[in-house]
């Protein structure tokens, strides 16, 4: 996602433009233009050993840019420059200037950018360019199918999902998206991007306030959890959906999860239980009908889970679970009489010296 | 766990975590068997007796060479050359390898050629300005830290550039005519705070925009609505720290999300839930823990540890040292992948985070393996050494802010934000 240096060179892409197969300086078409070599200075750093073709194309590109030339040969050259380095945002910007200045066929540009994205789907510039062309055409009709194709090759491509969400929101194409998401989750129930899209669609359409929707989603989650108990996405979705209204708000949810604990336990299930107990404690502050004994019992259960996770079930997060336990204990008062003392980690009381 | 089982458990755990995914993983497993990490166990005795060594000399040679010359494999980074400067210089400063004066001066002069006449820095000489190489260039110049380096930056024009990419909704595009995502806010806040050109008006509504990127998972996405992602989460959180607004995040939810990104078998971090481990997230993800530690402390949290970050520091160091080093120098994503300067920078940055707890007043080290594995500490907001941050802030705060209000001709933005205390976010230590 971030500028990564793949050592694999981009495969050549044939584009329907005037021939630029040889060095441009030998081409009559370019004879009037003086190429501009790159000004790296006398003692360059991070100096790239460009191929002859790369230097040639970019020397002429710099010349065109310097003159702000708006011509077909300039337009053709941008395709060459892009093929050599599709991350050169200056070239893409110039290509867009030319698309408008020369009134180029935007449908053809859509075909071009479709091909480029298929070759290099993890590049920021190509997707941004496509978005601009779609905006200019004001025509999203190809987008959902195109993105679906890209996602069929990499179901988690962040750029693809970003473009998809933009198209859906901008052109109000919500109707079939939940079905699309469900199909993806059938292919791979662990696809976190698909779970995110599920949340995106529902929050922008029906919302999560309707208890019927919430119940449907809870059932969906629990059914996926039964099939794949160690799927963190499903548990995160369950929590994420409910956290604003409180995890203890759907009646019977805690019981349903406790039932699952026997046969489908996981660190995620235990963490969810902890969150339910913590939520119950927080809400019990507002409710008078939760007695002191009950509060103590909930606290004891919550702290038990922290210890279990820290020391046995999720030890990679030991520091975190210990912190959560100390923090909860501190907020809610001390442990019940039957419990063991806190696990020694390091002294955490009193003022920290961090400025 | 490690000592008893040596390589077998390591390979099995790799396979376990992978095999829940599809055919891609089979390829990875084959790569793993064939490639360097497996061989490291056989070739390098220090790995077998589990005192992993940081291959300092090899990394140094790789970096030293790259700072001057790169093969044509780097043509794809021809629009990111200030990044190459930053990745290499930061790696060298973590390794505590001095930069020769002449080289430092050459970097300054090169970055000066990358500076756009309209302000900001571009990916290379003659290209348009872009927030990412701007961030990288300013950081690289601050690492060099000489008067010559500081003087390269045209602060007035830099401020013009930041205004030119500012959007009415508080976000920033990465370059004129370019895309929006949360990286831009971080790049803008980082360079503005370091060079003392930050004004409240410049970041009006930016806080709210960044906050809208925190999603149901607890992490942050690139733009509102998308999946939570380590790189974007780091950028959004660090930007808010600079703006003094990190307390407005749901810190508990963010904390839960990021600690859950550490892989229980590999020890390294994944970028997103249910995806694979990658060495670069050693910084983007683990680097959030120091930020959150401080944020929670400022919110009055009394139960924070005084010795450790809330991630498994040893496990992360193991992952980096055992799985992410190329024996010929340079670091990488995971076994089977090629080395590159980006991964070298962020694996080393993550290793530094895992080795050093605390700040100037409270410091606790946990070095896995030999003492020689110790790296210099890095600043978790800017990711350059803390001394270089202080030095830059000192230098630039002696200079006046170029101007307060938006330049004429810039469209009106809504007035919503309370005044930003620009000094608070700057002084992390």
């Amino acid at each position: 996602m971030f500028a990564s240096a793949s050592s694999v060179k981009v495969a050549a892409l044939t584009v329907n433009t005037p021939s630029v197969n040889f060095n441009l300086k030998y081409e009559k078409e370019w004879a009037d233009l003086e190429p501009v070599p790159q000004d790296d200075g006398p003692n360059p750093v991070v100096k790239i050993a460009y191929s002859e073709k790369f230097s040639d194309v970019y020397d002429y590109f710099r010349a065109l840019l310097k003159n702000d030339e708006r011509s077909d040969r300039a337009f053709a050259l941008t395709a060459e420059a892009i093929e050599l380095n599709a991350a050169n945002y200056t070239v893409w910007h110039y290509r867009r200037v030319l698309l408008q200045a020369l009134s180029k066929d935007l449908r053809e540009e859509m075909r071009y950018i479709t091909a480029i994205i298929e070759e290099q789907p993890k590049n920021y510039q190509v997707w941004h360019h496509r978005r601009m062309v779609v905006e200019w055409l004001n025509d999203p009709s190809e987008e959902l199918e195109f993105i679906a194709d890209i996602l069929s090759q990499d179901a988690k491509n962040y750029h693809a999902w970003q473009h998809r969400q933009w198209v859906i929101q901008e052109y109000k194409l919500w109707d079939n998206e939940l079905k699309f998401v469900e199909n993806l989750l059938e292919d791979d129930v662990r696809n976190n991007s698909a779970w995110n899209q599920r949340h995106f669609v529902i929050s922008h359409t029906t919302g999560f306030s309707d208890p019927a929707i919430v119940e449907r989603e809870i059932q969906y989650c629990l059914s996926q959890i039964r099939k794949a108990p160690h799927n963190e996405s499903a548990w995160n979705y369950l929590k994420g959906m409910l956290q604003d209204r409180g995890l203890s708000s759907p009646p019977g949810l805690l019981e349903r999860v406790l039932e699952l604990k026997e046969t489908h336990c996981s660190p995620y299930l235990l963490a969810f239980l902890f969150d339910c107990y913590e939520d119950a404690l927080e809400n019990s502050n507002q409710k008078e009908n939760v007695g002191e004994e009950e509060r103590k019992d909930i606290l004891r259960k919550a702290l038990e889970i922290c210890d279990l996770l820290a020391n046995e079930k999720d030890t990679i997060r030991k520091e975190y679970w210990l912190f959560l336990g100390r923090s909860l204990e501190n907020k809610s008062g001390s442990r019940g009489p039957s419990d063991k003392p806190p696990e020694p980690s390091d002294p955490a009381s009193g003022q920290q010296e961090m400025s | 766990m490690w000592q008893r089982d040596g390589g077998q458990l390591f390979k099995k755990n790799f396979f376990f975590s992978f095999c829940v995914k599809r055919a891609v993983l089979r390829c990875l497993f084959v790569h793993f068997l064939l490639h360097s990490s497996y061989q490291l166990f056989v070739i390098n005795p220090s790995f077998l007796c589990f005192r992993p060594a940081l291959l300092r000399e090899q990394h140094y040679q790789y970096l030293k060479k790259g700072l001057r010359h790169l093969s044509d494999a780097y043509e794809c980074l021809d629009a990111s050359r200030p990044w190459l400067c930053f990745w290499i210089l930061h790696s060298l400063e973590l390794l505590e390898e001095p930069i020769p004066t002449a080289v430092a001066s050459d970097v300054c002069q090169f970055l000066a050629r990358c500076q756009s006449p309209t302000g900001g820095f571009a990916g290379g000489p003659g290209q348009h300005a872009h927030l990412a190489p701007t961030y990288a260039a300013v950081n690289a110049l601050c690492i060099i830290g000489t008067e010559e380096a500081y003087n390269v930056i045209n602060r007035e024009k830099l401020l013009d550039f930041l205004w030119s990419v500012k959007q009415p909704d508080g976000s920033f595009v990465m370059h004129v005519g370019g895309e929006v995502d949360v990286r831009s806010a971080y790049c803008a806040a980082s360079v503005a705070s370091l060079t003392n050109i930050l004004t409240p008006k410049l970041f009006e509504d930016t806080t709210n925009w960044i906050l809208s990127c925190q999603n149901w998972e607890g992490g942050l996405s690139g733009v509102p609505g998308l999946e939570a992602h380590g790189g974007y989460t780091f950028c959004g959180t660090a930007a808010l720290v600079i703006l003094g607004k990190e307390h407005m995040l749901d810190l508990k939810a963010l904390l839960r999300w990021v600690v859950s990104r550490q892989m229980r078998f590999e020890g390294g971090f994944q970028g997103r839930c249910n995806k694979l481990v990658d060495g670069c997230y050693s910084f983007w993800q683990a680097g959030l823990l120091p930020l959150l530690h401080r944020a929670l402390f400022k919110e009055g949290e009394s139960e924070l540890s005084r010795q450790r970050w809330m991630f498994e520091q040893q496990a992360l160091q193991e992952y980096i040292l055992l799985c992410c080093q190329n024996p010929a120098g340079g670091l990488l994503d995971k076994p089977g992948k090629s080395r590159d300067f980006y991964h070298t920078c962020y694996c080393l940055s993550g290793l530094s985070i895992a080795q050093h707890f605390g700040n100037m007043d409270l410091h606790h080290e946990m070095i896995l393996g030999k003492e020689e594995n110790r790296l210099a500490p890095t600043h978790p907001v800017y990711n350059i050494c803390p001394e270089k941050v202080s030095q830059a802030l000192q230098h630039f705060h002696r200079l006046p802010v170029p101007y307060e209000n938006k330049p004429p001709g810039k469209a009106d933005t809504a007035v919503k934000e309370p005044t930003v205390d620009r000094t608070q976010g700057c002084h992390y230590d």
Side-chain angles (χ1 to χ4, degrees):
Chain A
M1 292 271 334
F2 289 75
S4 64
S6 165
S7 57
V8 176
K9 290 181 82 171
V10 173
L13 185 76
T14 313
V15 176
N16 199 15
T17 60
S19 165
V20 281
N21 290 323
F22 309 102
N23 270 354
L24 295 172
K25 58 180 176 276
Y26 302 126
E27 301 250 330
K28 265 198 300 202
E29 195 192 348
W30 296 94
D32 61 295
L33 200 55
E34 191 61 36
V36 175
Q38 183 159 271
D39 180 22
D40 265 10
N43 304 308
V45 293
V46 295
K47 188 175 153 74
I48 300 170
Y50 307 110
S51 70
E52 201 181 328
K53 177 160 191 191
F54 193 104
S55 299
D56 196 42
V57 167
Y58 275 94
D59 287 350
Y60 279 90
F61 175 74
R62 278 182 280 271
L64 293 166
L65 203 62
K66 185 166 106 180
N67 298 337
D68 194 21
E69 181 174 315
R70 313 255 174 120
S71 67
D72 265 310
R73 70 175 179 178
F75 185 71
L77 196 68
T78 61
E80 291 288 325
I82 282 163
E83 188 183 331
L84 291 164
N85 178 19
N88 192 313
Y89 55 90
T90 301
V91 176
W92 281 107
H93 183 264
Y94 195 57
R95 187 178 175 91
R96 283 193 285 277
V97 165
L98 293 171
L99 276 170
Q100 302 205 291
L102 304 174
S103 303
K104 299 300 275 184
D105 181 349
L106 293 180
R107 297 277 166 204
E108 197 178 327
E109 189 67 3
M110 278 297 286
R111 290 191 284 275
Y112 170 72
I113 196 62
T114 295
I116 300 282
I117 294 176
E118 291 280 355
E119 287 281 322
Q120 303 192 63
K122 289 198 174 182
N123 163 306
Y124 282 94
Q125 287 71 37
V126 300
W127 287 97
H128 180 66
H129 189 76
R130 188 185 181 96
R131 176 167 159 165
M132 298 303 301
V133 179
V134 168
E135 276 182 0
W136 288 341
L137 284 170
N138 198 32
D139 177 9
S141 62
E142 293 175 24
E143 298 317 281
L144 294 182
E145 190 180 329
F146 169 70
I147 301 162
D149 182 64
I150 298 293
L151 290 174
S152 72
Q153 297 163 50
D154 174 2
K156 302 182 184 187
N157 182 321
Y158 208 86
H159 302 281
W161 283 111
Q162 185 166 344
H163 189 74
R164 194 173 183 89
Q165 288 197 353
W166 170 73
V167 166
I168 287 173
Q169 235 170 340
E170 190 69 19
Y171 297 98
K172 303 182 179 18
L173 302 173
W174 302 98
D175 290 351
N176 300 315
E177 194 62 5
L178 190 56
K179 185 78 192 82
F180 178 75
V181 163
E182 287 195 348
N183 289 340
L184 281 180
L185 288 173
E186 253 180 68
D187 286 345
D188 178 7
V189 72
R190 292 172 184 84
N191 183 338
N192 197 66
S193 308
W195 282 99
N196 180 71
Q197 192 75 346
R198 190 180 183 95
H199 194 279
F200 174 74
V201 171
I202 294 175
S203 54
H204 283 90
T205 52
T206 57
F208 288 99
S209 325
D210 181 353
I213 301 282
V214 172
E215 180 54 33
R216 181 196 75 194
E217 292 301 294
I218 291 174
Q219 279 186 29
Y220 183 81
C221 284
L222 295 180
S223 127
Q224 301 313 321
I225 286 165
R226 273 182 217 101
K227 286 189 248 170
H230 291 265
N231 177 13
E232 190 182 344
S233 293
W235 284 106
N236 289 349
Y237 184 84
L238 188 59
K239 178 169 67 124
M241 169 183 50
L242 298 172
Q243 62 193 359
D244 288 338
R245 277 165 201 82
L247 294 178
S248 29
S249 67
L253 179 60
L254 177 63
E255 287 69 26
R256 286 152 92 176
V257 175
L258 283 168
E259 234 178 69
L260 273 178
K261 184 165 178 273
E262 305 314 307
T263 46
H264 296 77
C265 200
S266 68
Y268 317 116
L269 184 148
L270 294 171
F272 189 85
L273 283 179
F274 172 86
D275 293 332
C276 288
Y277 294 137
E278 189 187 32
D279 186 69
L281 283 171
E282 249 161 69
N283 288 338
S284 73
N285 288 330
Q286 283 104 28
K287 294 188 187 135
E288 288 94 33
N289 58 343
V290 178
E292 186 55 31
E293 274 309 306
E294 196 182 339
R295 275 184 55 91
K296 271 195 189 165
D297 188 55
I298 297 173
L299 178 61
R300 181 188 57 81
K301 287 190 187 138
L303 294 175
E304 238 170 44
I305 293 189
C306 272
D307 287 348
L308 184 63
L309 286 164
N311 297 308
E312 196 185 318
K313 300 289 184 182
D314 199 20
T315 57
I316 191 85
R317 275 165 275 283
K318 178 176 188 157
E319 278 302 318
Y320 171 71
W321 292 116
L322 292 177
F323 163 73
L324 267 204
R326 291 192 304 265
S327 195
L328 187 64
E329 212 179 338
N330 185 52
K331 260 190 301 185
S332 315
S334 48
R335 291 170 179 265
S338 57
D339 283 320
K340 45 192 187 316
E343 289 296 308
S345 61
D346 51 76
S349 57
Q351 281 297 305
Q352 310 285 307
E353 275 138 22
M354 296 178 75
S355 55
Chain B
M1 170 175 108
W2 286 96
Q3 283 94 330
R4 258 181 277 126
D5 218 339
Q8 274 307 116
L9 180 62
F10 173 79
K11 280 185 289 173
K12 194 166 53 166
N13 288 340
F14 245 95
F15 186 63
F16 175 91
S17 177
F18 287 174
C19 72
V20 299
K21 291 138 188 118
R22 298 291 181 92
V24 178
L25 304 163
R26 246 170 275 137
C27 297
L28 274 165
F29 184 62
V30 169
H31 267 279
F32 172 59
L33 287 179
L34 294 176
H35 289 270
S36 47
S37 187
Y38 177 71
Q39 287 158 15
L40 270 172
F41 280 101
V42 176
I43 293 168
N44 192 330
S46 84
F47 287 76
L48 280 177
C49 46
F50 202 63
R51 285 203 83 210
L54 177 66
L55 304 172
R56 285 182 159 276
E57 186 54 31
Q58 291 88 327
H59 299 321
Y60 172 62
Q61 293 302 330
Y62 173 65
L63 291 161
K64 185 178 172 207
K65 179 162 187 237
L67 190 53
R68 281 294 177 196
H69 298 289
L70 298 163
S71 74
D72 62 2
Y74 278 86
E75 283 178 351
C76 60
L77 284 172
D78 187 45
S80 296
R81 289 172 71 200
W83 273 118
L84 289 159
C85 294
F86 167 67
W87 293 330
I88 294 171
L89 287 177
H90 181 53
S91 301
L92 289 168
E93 75 168 340
L94 288 172
L95 290 167
E96 290 177 306
E97 296 286 354
I99 317 291
T101 331
V103 176
S105 185
D106 290 343
V107 174
C108 292
Q109 287 176 55
F110 173 70
L111 291 175
R113 284 178 158 78
C114 292
Q115 187 162 219
S116 164
T118 50
F121 291 81
Q127 298 175 31
H128 292 165
H130 184 296
L131 276 171
T134 299
Y135 164 84
V138 170
N139 262 8
L141 292 166
C142 290
I143 292 173
I144 294 170
T146 58
E147 285 292 311
E148 180 191 7
Y150 296 140
N151 290 339
V152 166
I153 304 168
N154 183 330
R155 294 165 70 246
E156 292 73 21
K157 285 263 167 258
L158 179 58
L159 187 53
D160 289 346
F161 172 61
L162 296 183
W163 275 112
S164 77
V165 289
K166 177 76 194 290
Q167 302 301 288
D169 67 353
S171 66
F172 291 79
V173 291
M174 293 298 292
H175 61 99
V176 172
E179 73 275 13
V180 170
D181 61 56
V182 75
R183 292 173 299 155
S184 60
Y186 170 61
C187 293
S190 179
V191 304
S193 56
L194 283 173
T195 62
N196 189 28
I197 62 177
L198 199 161
T199 65
K201 280 204 156 37
L202 183 58
F203 291 96
E204 207 157 61
D205 297 321
T206 305
T207 296
N208 287 333
W209 190 87
I210 298 173
L211 292 173
S212 72
C213 290
Q214 182 168 32
N215 80 349
W216 58 273
E217 300 173 76
L220 279 71
S221 54
V223 295
L226 285 170
E227 203 181 352
H229 178 295
Y232 294 121
T233 303
F234 176 83
C235 288
T237 306
L240 287 174
V241 169
I242 294 172
L243 299 175
K245 296 287 193 292
E246 70 275 26
H247 58 276
M248 296 180 72
L249 287 163
D250 182 344
L251 295 173
K252 289 290 165 74
L254 175 51
L255 179 62
R256 171 69 67 90
W257 179 81
V258 65
V259 302
S260 301
R261 303 284 67 77
Q262 187 166 21
M263 313 292 276
R264 64 169 55 90
F265 292 122
E266 293 92 313
F269 281 78
Q270 65 191 176
R272 302 180 247 170
C273 181
N274 271 334
K275 289 208 77 180
L276 300 179
V277 71
D278 182 335
C280 71
Y281 294 115
S282 308
F283 178 75
W284 302 120
Q285 299 283 34
L288 283 163
L289 278 312
L291 298 180
L292 290 174
H293 202 108
R294 179 172 177 266
L296 289 166
F297 175 71
K298 281 172 71 185
E299 290 298 285
E301 182 57 61
S302 58
E303 302 305 316
L304 292 163
S305 167
R306 289 154 74 108
Q307 296 201 306
R308 300 202 183 94
W309 304 122
M310 280 187 275
F311 71 93
E312 228 306 354
Q313 290 169 239
Q314 178 170 333
L316 180 60
Q317 293 186 49
E318 284 168 11
Y319 178 67
I320 296 169
L321 292 174
L322 291 169
C323 304
C324 297
Q325 295 192 88
N326 183 310
L331 292 98
L332 39 100
D333 164 351
K334 59 173 66 66
K337 298 284 176 119
S338 310
R339 63 186 181 173
D340 60 58
F341 294 104
Y342 164 81
H343 282 94
T344 301
C345 171
Y346 290 103
C347 284
L348 290 176
S349 302
L351 183 57
S352 172
I353 299 275
Q355 290 178 343
H356 298 281
F357 170 84
N359 61 3
M360 287 179 334
D361 300 329
L362 184 70
H363 194 196
H364 188 88
E365 283 179 12
M366 206 286 284
I367 315 290
L368 182 73
K370 309 188 289 186
E371 176 55 33
E372 290 78 30
N373 293 352
R374 183 189 185 282
L375 293 174
T378 191
H379 195 294
V381 171
Y382 300 98
N383 198 23
I384 64 178
C385 289
E387 310 76 48
K388 298 297 166 85
V389 173
S390 315
Q391 201 184 299
L393 290 172
Q394 253 188 343
H395 172 90
F396 288 108
H397 273 81
R398 275 186 242 119
L399 305 172
V401 176
Y403 54 86
E404 291 283 332
N405 297 306
K406 61 186 184 291
K410 181 94 181 95
D412 274 319
T413 61
V415 182
K416 263 186 258 163
E417 284 274 277
T419 319
V420 170
D421 178 1
R422 81 178 92 104
T423 59
Q424 189 197 9
C426 295
H427 299 289
Y428 183 90
D429 284 326

